[in-house]
Amino acid sequence: MDVLQQAFAWLNDPLNWTGRNGVIALTVAHVTVSVLAVLLAAVVALPVGLWLGHRGRGGTAGVVVANTTRALPTLALLTLLAASGLFGNTATVLACAVFAVPPLLSGAVTGLGDVDADVRDAARGTGMSGARSLWSVELPLAVPQLAAGVRTGAVQVLATVPLAALVGGRSLGSIVVEGFGTQNYGQVLAGGILVAALCLVAEGLLAVAQHLVTPAGLQALSRDGRSSGRRRPSRRSAGSTAPPSPPTDDAHAPLAVATSNDSNGSGSPV
Amino acid sequence: MRLAAPSNPWFSWEYLQRNSADVLTALQQHTTLTLEAVVLAFALALPLGALAHLRPRLGAPLLGVAGVMYTVPSLALFAVLAPYTGVGRTTVLVGLVAYALLVLIRNVLVGLQGVDPAVRDAARGMGYGRVRLLLTVELPQAVPSIVAGLRLATVSTVALVTVGVVVGYGGLGQLMFRGFRSNYHAEIMTATVLCLLLALVCDLVIAGVGRRLTPWARSTRPV
């Protein structure tokens, strides 16, 4: 029988959906682990990112962290944690949280770093303290990039969690791994479709959420910007006056371009 | 990391000596797979990026499709591919190329669009045609961005190869997984360190080539 038919047969079998290892239970486990991982990462990354961004430094540190974790394979971290005695979902949450930190951190740092210096000056001029300026002026202006960071991080975690099935975590990835183990390729394909669908749906929902949390004023601003100019040059890299915007001798410069794209695009593939 | 019992250390020179052939095979598999994937993706991304630049109407759907591909987790992609391309090298390679493609196309496009309009105007004023403009003016100007994309794609490909373990062709990931199965700490740690080293070496090599390709970047300092 054709593999695609097998996959649909598998998806159509109600027994595969219910029960302790059914699709529904596994989806719930998958989403629970992901949410926990994102929350854990947010608790660590957001305060640090906000502080660094508010102080106006830490840009390079963020880039270094982001690049190191990009090179560290997810599987390596998962097997390392699992082998050191943390089995199952604790290891999954920890490992995924590590990979969600860079997008959140860079979202916070670039979001606050891109706040217009004049706006900051004005806030100080009206007598706001640093904390108040951060809370009621800079933070709302940074919301779009903060939200983009959260979105990238969350989708990345959702995509990483399936890998944990290899080291014994329960998630939709278990279906794929079990399918490979039993050489049931219909089930493998069905699991792959389910995981992909979950990620795409989450990405869509989070995009809507990102739109909703953006303050109305900023939305109007970006609409105006889009209708008048064709497209804003990507932050400070294209619009600068330096002729052939080359990488300077700072080794991190070219990567900084790439990671700044990242904060509103997608993170590293997992 | 807590200290392990002496019988099962995280770092073991003895392991490396005894299994050097095994480790080298995995490393070689990992390296060739990475290079092949990045070269293939680059060969595809350069014309596609140029096309998206010349025909902006094609650019948006192209980036959209690549973006959706990028959202799909690697495990799912390998799972979807495996029934058709079989268990082994092809599946991993196709998946890796797909992921590297988005980063590369995006950076080629950003580089080409970031060319100073005045430079473009000057070239057009000198009578350059569209294709000549692209090849001799815009493309060299886009080199820094393309090199940044290549570095990013290579580093993430090195990490991604390990996921190939689900179809039995994961390079160093194979060692990690085997080490996990047999609870052999040194095997996992060796594979992890080699992965990081490979990524670092590739990154430095590409950065070096990029510097050689853009001599003007060293002589003229941006003001």
Side-chain angles (χ1 to χ4, degrees):
Chain A
M1 198 164 52
D2 181 28
V3 178
L4 202 60
Q5 274 175 340
Q6 276 176 16
F8 280 112
W10 193 92
L11 285 173
N12 263 325
D13 188 349
L15 284 179
N16 288 329
W17 287 78
T18 51
R20 210 187 88 79
N21 283 321
V23 172
I24 295 169
L26 288 177
T27 309
V28 170
H30 195 133
V31 173
T32 314
V33 168
S34 307
V35 169
L36 284 177
V38 173
L39 282 180
L40 184 61
V43 166
V44 175
L46 286 184
V48 176
L50 289 181
W51 187 72
L52 287 175
H54 181 62
R55 285 305 194 74
R57 50 180 121 122
T60 42
V63 171
V64 170
V65 170
N67 288 326
T68 320
T69 56
R70 208 187 294 284
L72 180 68
T74 320
L75 191 66
L77 197 57
L78 281 171
T79 47
L80 279 176
L81 284 176
S84 50
L86 289 166
F87 275 102
N89 286 344
T90 324
T92 318
V93 170
L94 275 179
C96 292
V98 170
F99 288 98
V101 164
L104 289 171
L105 197 63
S106 79
V109 170
T110 54
L112 286 183
D114 284 1
V115 171
D116 198 338
D118 290 347
V119 173
R120 220 171 278 193
D121 256 9
R124 181 155 305 159
T126 52
M128 286 189 185
S129 64
R132 180 138 175 251
S133 156
L134 173 67
W135 181 250
S136 54
V137 175
E138 293 168 45
L139 207 53
L141 285 171
V143 160
Q145 294 195 33
L146 272 174
V150 173
R151 174 179 155 197
T152 311
V155 172
Q156 197 163 329
V157 166
L158 274 176
T160 313
V161 168
L163 283 180
L166 285 171
V167 295
R170 273 179 79 226
S171 69
L172 282 178
S174 312
I175 299 173
V176 177
V177 171
E178 191 190 299
F180 272 118
T182 55
Q183 304 217 335
N184 179 355
Y185 289 109
Q187 185 182 343
V188 169
L189 185 56
I193 292 171
L194 285 172
V195 173
L198 180 68
C199 285
L200 291 174
V201 167
E203 167 85 359
L205 287 179
L206 286 168
V208 173
Q210 183 186 359
H211 186 74
L212 288 179
V213 297
T214 307
L218 281 179
Q219 284 181 22
L221 204 66
S222 71
R223 262 200 302 279
D224 288 351
R226 216 173 298 155
S227 55
S228 60
R230 234 168 57 84
R231 196 199 285 169
R232 229 156 39 93
S234 71
R235 271 164 283 146
R236 83 190 153 233
S237 57
S240 65
T241 45
S245 67
T248 50
D249 43 5
D250 174 14
H252 295 301
L255 280 164
V257 174
T259 36
S260 75
N261 283 341
D262 247 10
S263 70
N264 43 15
S266 24
S268 53
V270 276
Chain B
M1 203 179 310
R2 58 180 196 166
L3 283 174
S7 57
N8 194 6
W10 284 103
F11 296 97
S12 158
W13 187 245
E14 204 188 333
Y15 162 77
L16 205 57
Q17 274 178 333
R18 284 205 189 147
N19 298 279
S20 56
D22 210 22
V23 172
L24 273 181
T25 317
L27 185 63
Q28 192 203 359
Q29 196 184 69
H30 206 110
T31 316
T32 50
L33 209 49
T34 305
L35 293 182
E36 220 169 303
V38 172
V39 168
L40 269 176
F42 186 56
L44 283 174
L46 210 52
L48 283 177
L51 187 72
H53 175 61
L54 293 179
R55 301 262 178 283
R57 206 169 291 171
L58 284 176
L62 196 67
L63 279 183
V65 170
V68 169
M69 285 289 295
Y70 203 73
T71 312
V72 173
S74 51
L75 186 72
L77 188 64
F78 289 155
V80 171
L81 285 173
Y84 299 103
T85 49
V87 167
R89 191 182 177 90
T90 325
T91 308
V92 184
L93 194 61
V94 171
L96 293 176
V97 169
Y99 285 113
L101 208 53
L102 173 74
V103 181
L104 290 174
I105 291 183
R106 200 170 55 189
N107 273 53
V108 169
L109 196 59
V110 166
L112 288 176
Q113 285 178 341
V115 174
D116 193 342
V119 173
R120 212 175 281 158
D121 258 9
R124 198 163 297 157
M126 287 168 70
Y128 277 48
R130 195 68 193 88
V131 174
R132 192 159 156 229
L133 176 68
L134 178 74
L135 291 179
T136 59
V137 177
E138 288 178 322
L139 215 50
Q141 296 259 316
V143 165
S145 169
I146 295 175
V147 169
L150 267 178
R151 289 172 67 179
L152 202 60
T154 312
V155 170
S156 40
T157 302
V158 170
L160 208 54
V161 170
T162 56
V163 181
V165 76
V166 291
V167 289
Y169 207 93
L172 292 165
Q174 221 64 31
L175 294 186
M176 284 173 204
F177 194 56
R178 207 169 58 201
F180 165 69
R181 275 282 170 81
S182 54
N183 199 23
Y184 194 174
H185 289 170
E187 196 167 20
I188 303 179
M189 193 45 105
T190 309
T192 307
V193 171
L194 282 177
C195 250
L196 289 174
L197 279 180
L198 184 61
L200 186 69
V201 168
C202 289
D203 192 47
L204 288 179
V205 167
I206 297 176
V209 172
R211 271 173 74 89
R212 292 293 297 273
L213 281 178
T214 53
W216 63 85
R218 270 168 293 159
S219 52
T220 60
R221 301 222 168 266
V223 193

